[in-house]
Amino acid sequence: MSVSRRTVLATAAGAAALCTSPTPAAAADVTADRIPEPTLRTLRSAADYAVEKLHAVAPSVTAFPVGTKFEKWVYSQNGDWVGGFWPGTLWMAWLYSRDDMFRTRALASAGKLAPRQYDTTTHDLGFLFYPSWVTAWRLTGDDAWRTGALQAADSLIRRYNPRGRFIRAWGALNEERNAGRVIIDTMMNLDLLAFASSRTGDDKYLNIAVEHARTAQRVFPRPDGSTPHVYDFDPVSGTPIGPNTVQGYSPTSCWSRGQAWGLYGFTTMYRRTKNPEFLATARRLADFAMGALTPDHVPVWDYRAPQQPYDIKDASAGAIMACGLLDLSAATGRHAYREVALRLLTALSATCLTRNSTRAEAVLARCTRNRPAEDGIEISLPYADYYFLEGILRVLQPQDVDRAIDLFTV
């Protein structure tokens, strides 16, 4: 792969994204997609509600929402692993409404993540810095945001294990516990490394992302396209040990949010590299997840838990899956993926909005954080709100989403 070619293309994409004029591929006319008018009305109404809710709640938010208790946000001061989603949600609200209150608060919130750019104890630096700092740079052009995101990428690659060719998920670099633990979620953190290579011209970041993705595609997907949450390696030799789980029902089950992370993450890696194997893997994961959906199109928390399809729901899995399917439809030209994404978004709009509660501070309800730990059962979660709005804007305003998160395909 030619660094110079990729850099030239990515630079051109970044320049286009910072302009007010959308790229032709990203700016497809919504009406040309022949989306039924009732669906468009539903999504516009949901976006209107989300912006109204955020406008009411944002002035009282002084830290980073991590989840709700009795419908009110519970906060983390340093952002935990979810700190990027609150400023990211505000950016989505700004793109939809053009209300500069959201822009001002998005920048202020993102700024509070500054110390985390040096954090080498977590793989979640993509979640922390892509929807906050990378988006801030793409929408403002202020190089301070780009510089911080690049530092975060430098911190992330320190977690790479060259023997096993994976990015370690959890624990400080000097901790033996979890040193060989890989989780499907990390696929969503790789785009920060692709961004770093595109902005610096240094291939090392994207090379690590590609090696991790190749390892993940080798060990996570089962023959039917389902995935476990965790895969363990011997950290010293890099030898595979086997599947495991933390947030899924069992090592042989399929945690729905993890399946969505994988689907979206492999599609993104295909867009950044044009590696057809990543696209094939994304399609396998998508096909399994679509086949596992219940008729109401709100995913159960684990597709293979004993009580499914009548188990508790996770709306966040549905929002993430919708974004991934819209991305996958654009990458493959297959309308079936787009149709299911629209059903997911309309189902979330119809059955998961917090419209009926005057107490609720979030946009979406019916999310589940960690069912095995009995932690956050059918609550609201910040990443659910973020990906729900991203998904709606991918349909209604694709050129604006391209400006914010870069839908450019090499």
Side-chain angles (χ1 to χ4, degrees):
M1 182 185 303
S2 170
V3 177
S4 59
R5 177 178 178 274
R6 184 178 63 252
T7 302
V8 168
L9 290 169
T11 301
L18 288 170
C19 297
T20 55
S21 299
T23 60
D29 186 357
V30 170
T31 58
D33 293 323
R34 298 179 182 176
I35 299 171
E37 186 58 35
T39 299
L40 291 175
R41 285 198 300 269
T42 296
L43 297 185
R44 290 188 188 111
S45 176
D48 289 342
Y49 172 74
V51 167
E52 178 183 357
K53 174 67 71 176
L54 288 163
H55 196 277
V57 172
S60 65
V61 173
T62 58
F64 299 100
V66 297
T68 54
K69 185 175 183 180
F70 303 119
E71 300 182 285
K72 301 294 185 182
W73 285 124
V74 176
Y75 297 103
S76 164
Q77 292 301 315
N78 77 347
D80 197 70
W81 71 271
V82 300
F85 294 117
W86 177 249
T89 301
L90 295 175
W91 278 122
M92 294 296 119
W94 177 73
L95 289 171
Y96 183 73
S97 69
R98 300 301 176 180
D99 184 337
D100 281 339
M101 182 274 283
F102 293 123
R103 183 183 189 277
T104 299
R105 293 188 179 278
L107 292 170
S109 178
K112 295 177 182 178
L113 290 171
R116 300 295 302 279
Q117 65 190 283
Y118 304 100
D119 188 350
T120 61
T121 68
T122 177
H123 72 123
D124 285 316
L125 291 164
F127 284 134
L128 287 167
F129 283 90
Y130 205 100
S132 56
W133 286 52
V134 172
T135 294
W137 173 72
R138 290 180 59 79
L139 294 179
T140 70
D142 184 343
D143 276 344
W145 300 110
R146 182 192 63 173
T147 300
L150 294 177
Q151 174 57 56
D154 279 324
S155 298
L156 179 56
I157 61 173
R158 292 187 61 189
R159 301 184 64 77
Y160 181 65
N161 182 318
R163 295 173 298 280
R165 298 184 177 181
F166 62 81
I167 295 172
R168 170 183 181 168
W170 296 322
L173 298 178
N174 60 353
E175 291 180 6
E176 293 185 8
R177 183 172 178 266
N178 291 322
R181 178 145 286 191
V182 180
I183 63 175
I184 192 67
D185 318 38
T186 305
M187 288 302 306
M188 290 293 290
N189 289 308
L190 302 182
D191 204 23
L192 179 66
L193 302 183
F195 170 80
S197 280
S198 74
R199 303 322 308 168
T200 64
D202 190 336
D203 211 27
K204 67 181 179 182
Y205 305 99
L206 186 58
N207 281 345
I208 287 174
V210 167
E211 288 304 316
H212 178 94
R214 285 174 173 162
T215 299
Q217 90 176 353
R218 188 176 71 249
V219 302
F220 277 99
R222 304 183 182 108
D224 64 357
S226 65
T227 59
H229 177 207
V230 172
Y231 202 95
D232 288 320
F233 293 80
D234 182 306
V236 177
S237 67
T239 303
I241 294 174
N244 211 320
T245 197
V246 172
Q247 289 178 259
Y249 178 79
S250 76
T252 60
S253 72
C254 185
W255 177 48
S256 62
R257 189 160 75 244
Q259 188 79 6
W261 292 139
L263 153 61
Y264 193 164
F266 275 109
T267 305
T268 301
M269 283 302 295
Y270 167 73
R271 286 197 291 107
R272 302 307 183 211
T273 66
K274 271 300 191 191
N275 184 329
E277 293 181 0
F278 294 153
L279 185 64
T281 301
R283 292 188 61 179
R284 288 174 61 196
L285 270 58
D287 291 346
F288 175 85
M290 291 192 303
L293 286 173
T294 49
D296 67 355
H297 278 77
V298 181
V300 295
W301 74 278
D302 190 303
Y303 293 127
R304 285 183 170 160
Q307 293 180 321
Q308 67 82 28
Y310 308 108
D311 211 334
I312 59 173
K313 299 292 187 173
D314 183 8
S316 74
I320 298 158
M321 182 178 170
C323 291
L325 287 174
L326 290 169
D327 216 11
L328 188 57
S329 177
T332 62
R334 291 180 61 87
H335 293 293
Y337 293 134
R338 186 175 180 82
E339 289 170 2
V340 174
L342 292 172
R343 291 191 200 114
L344 285 161
L345 291 172
T346 53
L348 296 177
S349 300
T351 67
C352 298
L353 291 180
T354 57
R355 288 185 189 274
N356 294 331
S357 173
T358 58
R359 285 180 49 85
E361 293 184 338
V363 175
L364 282 184
R366 304 183 73 193
C367 303
T368 298
R369 181 163 49 204
N370 188 338
R371 179 69 176 87
E374 296 292 331
D375 173 26
I377 309 302
E378 295 215 16
I379 60 170
S380 295
L381 294 167
Y383 36 94
D385 285 5
Y386 171 78
Y387 288 107
F388 181 60
L389 269 177
E390 181 192 306
I392 290 176
L393 264 65
R394 278 176 174 267
V395 177
L396 300 181
Q397 299 172 208
Q399 70 276 15
D400 287 328
V401 178
D402 178 58
R403 289 174 59 214
I405 64 173
D406 186 12
L407 303 182
F408 180 73
T409 300
V410 174

